[in-house]
Every structure is written in structure tokens, then in C-alpha cells.
Amino acid sequence: MEPLQRSPLPLMGEPFLDRLKDVAKDVESVLEEILPPPTTCLHQAMRYSVLGKGKRLRAFLVWATSHLFDVSPSRALKMGATIELIHAYSLVHDDLPCMDNADVRRGKPSCHKAFGESTAILVGDALIPLAFQTLSSLDVPPNIRLELITKLSQVIGSHGLVAGQMRDLGQEGSHHLFEDLLELQHLKTGVLFGFACEAGAILGKASLQEKNALRTYGLLVGEAFQMIDDWLDECGCEETTGKPLGQDTSKITFLSLLGPSGLLEKAQSSIQHAIEIISPFQERSNFLRNAAFFALNRER
Ligand code: GRG
């Protein structure tokens, strides 16, 4: 496989990576508090699946979009933690033998490998209500809380994440054409990225136009993120990604459909488009611009 020449990181220097790390650390502390203490097997398994090595990029996107509107960091972090709980549930269920059947996640045995299959199902089942409980306790006006709850439930339901998973399992639709695969990955990956960015805007009482623009930015970043995920599955480094390579070789992926250079070209154009969309926010959107470059150039 020819090496993927990804672009140098124009704006993504140490300060950005430090900020990403700082936000991830803060989100981790919020998650520590939200999760029940490890006094039962179920609660131990929940903490095992949520805490640890996640990049927390979705939470970072909430933080960075809410930064555009001077939202208090504590609200943004709680919102980010809510999305990370949902993301963790989707990973636990996706790894199950009846789904993607993956033994390793974030550099350690996946939840069902460590705690058994039935516990892993219940971990996912318990993380969803915990996420909504967290959201419903957010210290914001009731109309904002309701908008966040409504949108999150739409995004993760049978017209969002779950629909994407059905397609991925080959239970619905087809993904032999590029457009079909794009729609599948839009549902499986994009919509949660889009919601993370829209959530920051909702917290910031942004206009409808700003909310739509930021959601579109998130969808495009999610698209490129997934393309790079497909590339890393074949050409990444196991130690850095925290999971075995080649897990998707039997699947139709962006890499198998486009080849490395076509994939890179498409991912770069999505990132370019995402950056254009946020340009009206000027310097305040530098974190978002760097997050887009990070999605493209990441090693894990
Ligand atoms: C409804 C069971 C169910 C699943 C929905 C979201 C999803 C579909 C499955 C999750 C598994 C998966 C491979 C999704 C694609 C998106 C993706 C690349 C996830 C990994 O995200 P990272 O790299 O993970 O941000 P970390 O570990 O950093 O949090």
C-alpha cells in the first residue's frame, strides 16, 4: 500500500495539542464524577469502558464551538462528557461478537472480553440513560436543555447512529457505491460530530444560521475523521491506534473504494470545506480550525 502523504499541520502546533490534552483531562474529571463508584460489577465495567485513553475529540468540539460564544467551560465540559458517554456506549456495543466482534479497544480488552457479553450489553444500556440524566441536570434555561435533549435523541436513534450501524452490518441498504458508504458513515460517525458542534452553539444561544454552519462543519470533520480511520486500520501503527490493524479488511471502506490517494484527496477537500465554513468566526475559531487539521493528520 503506497504511503499516505498527509498535509503538514499548518496551524496545529504544541499549543493546540496541549489544549486538546487539557480539555481531555477536564472531561475525564467530569466523567469520573458522573459515573457511579465502582462498587458493583456493572459499575466497574461502565468505568472501565468510559474512562481512560479516549481522545475526547467530540468533547473538545463542544468546548471549541462553545468557546466562540463565551459559554462557561463547566457547562461545555458537562455537555462534552454527555457525548462521550454516548460514544462509549456505541463502542462497547459495536465491539460485541454479534456486531464488529472486536477484542481490543483503546489498547485494552474490549468490554465484553473483560466482563462478558451480557454485562457489555448492559453497560451500553446503562450509559445511554446516564447521558440523558447528565444532560437533564445541565444548568441552562429549560428551552436550551430541551433542544439539546431532543437533538441528541434524534441523532443517536433509528434515523442516526443506529441506522448507520444497521447499514454497516449489511442489514439494510447497500454500501458498494461511494455515495452509499458516505451516507452510512455520515450516520455512524458524522452525526455525532455534527451534534457536538451544534451543541456548543446551542449552549451559546447562537442563531439558527450559526448552528447550521457549525453542524455542517462537524459533519465534514466527521467525514474526514472516518476516512482517516479507514486508512489507519490498514496503514497505521497498532501501538498508537490502540487496536489491531486490518479489522476492516473484509469490509467495503473508503480505502478500498478510493485507494490511498483518492481517500486523502477527498479527506483534504472535506477539511478545506469545513475550514471555509467557520471562517466568519475569525480568530476565535482557531481551535476549530486546528481540530479539523487534527482529524486529518492524526495517528490515533
Ligand atoms: C448503535 C451499536 C451502535 C453503534 C453505532 C458509532 C457506532 C455506530 C459505532 C462505534 C464504532 C465505530 C468504529 C464508529 C466509527 C467512528 C469511530 C472512528 C469511532 C472511534 O472514535 P475515536 O477514534 O475513539 O474518537 P476514542 O477511543 O478516541 O474515543
Side-chain angles (χ1 to χ4, degrees):
M1 184 67 63
E2 63 182 274
L4 183 71
Q5 295 293 323
R6 288 184 281 168
S7 52
L9 311 181
L11 284 165
M12 197 183 116
E14 286 306 313
F16 170 75
L17 294 174
D18 287 347
R19 185 59 70 112
L20 185 60
K21 251 188 244 161
D22 287 348
V23 172
K25 206 165 139 226
D26 291 346
V27 172
E28 197 76 8
S29 309
V30 176
L31 287 166
E32 280 270 3
E33 263 178 48
I34 292 171
L35 285 157
T39 48
T40 64
C41 176
L42 177 63
H43 292 162
Q44 282 163 20
M46 286 165 72
R47 298 178 71 90
Y48 176 90
S49 305
V50 174
L51 301 173
K53 282 197 181 154
K55 288 180 287 298
R56 311 300 181 205
L57 185 57
R58 292 155 191 81
F60 183 83
L61 290 173
V62 177
W63 177 87
T65 42
S66 66
H67 171 77
L68 299 174
F69 307 99
D70 283 326
V71 173
S72 86
S74 66
R75 285 180 187 157
L77 290 171
K78 206 167 174 186
M79 183 65 236
T82 299
I83 296 181
E84 291 293 333
L85 290 173
I86 294 292
H87 171 56
Y89 127 74
S90 77
L91 297 178
V92 169
H93 277 193
D94 189 60
D95 288 342
L96 286 167
C98 62
M99 303 251 179
D100 248 16
N101 195 18
D103 290 353
V104 179
R105 171 68 63 186
R106 292 178 173 166
K108 59 186 187 182
S110 44
C111 182
H112 68 275
K113 279 280 156 190
F115 292 90
E117 220 172 301
S118 44
T119 302
I121 292 171
L122 295 172
V123 163
D125 291 345
L127 289 175
I128 304 169
L130 184 60
F132 282 101
Q133 197 183 324
T134 306
L135 200 45
S136 54
S137 71
L138 204 59
D139 167 31
V140 291
N143 60 324
I144 290 188
R145 216 179 302 133
L146 187 61
E147 186 174 351
L148 291 166
I149 291 172
T150 306
K151 293 223 161 113
L152 180 60
S153 52
Q154 282 165 353
V155 151
I156 69 170
S158 63
H159 294 288
L161 239 57
V162 178
Q165 187 72 350
M166 275 296 272
R167 288 182 190 212
D168 197 37
L169 294 170
Q171 308 283 339
E172 212 125 56
S174 110
H175 45 273
H176 292 85
L177 297 174
F178 174 70
E179 286 69 26
D180 298 332
L181 184 63
L182 206 55
E183 174 63 11
L184 184 166
Q185 300 298 5
H186 163 82
L187 295 167
K188 210 180 148 182
T189 308
V191 292
L192 204 53
F193 275 76
F195 174 71
C197 297
E198 192 178 355
I202 295 171
L203 286 174
K205 303 189 175 116
S207 68
L208 184 62
Q209 196 189 0
E210 288 168 326
K211 286 191 270 194
N212 288 340
L214 288 165
R215 185 180 60 249
T216 307
Y217 156 90
L219 290 171
L220 288 161
V221 171
E223 192 174 286
F225 183 92
Q226 183 58 54
M227 287 179 190
I228 298 302
D229 210 67
D230 286 356
W231 183 81
L232 288 172
D233 179 68
E234 195 153 330
C235 310
C237 158
E238 262 180 36
E239 261 177 36
T240 321
T241 59
K243 55 186 182 180
L245 300 186
Q247 294 197 116
D248 296 338
T249 39
S250 60
K251 284 186 179 179
I252 294 166
T253 66
F254 286 120
L255 189 61
S256 67
L257 284 182
L258 302 174
S261 50
L263 179 150
L264 173 64
E265 210 177 294
K266 189 74 193 73
Q268 278 172 334
S269 110
S270 302
I271 291 304
Q272 192 62 43
H273 187 183
I275 287 172
E276 278 160 23
I277 287 174
I278 52 165
S279 62
F281 293 102
Q282 301 179 336
E283 292 91 72
R284 275 194 93 77
S285 65
N286 273 350
F287 289 121
L288 288 174
R289 211 182 332 273
N290 284 322
F293 284 120
F294 176 80
L296 184 66
N297 290 290
R298 69 200 178 92
E299 299 294 339
R300 73 181 191 103

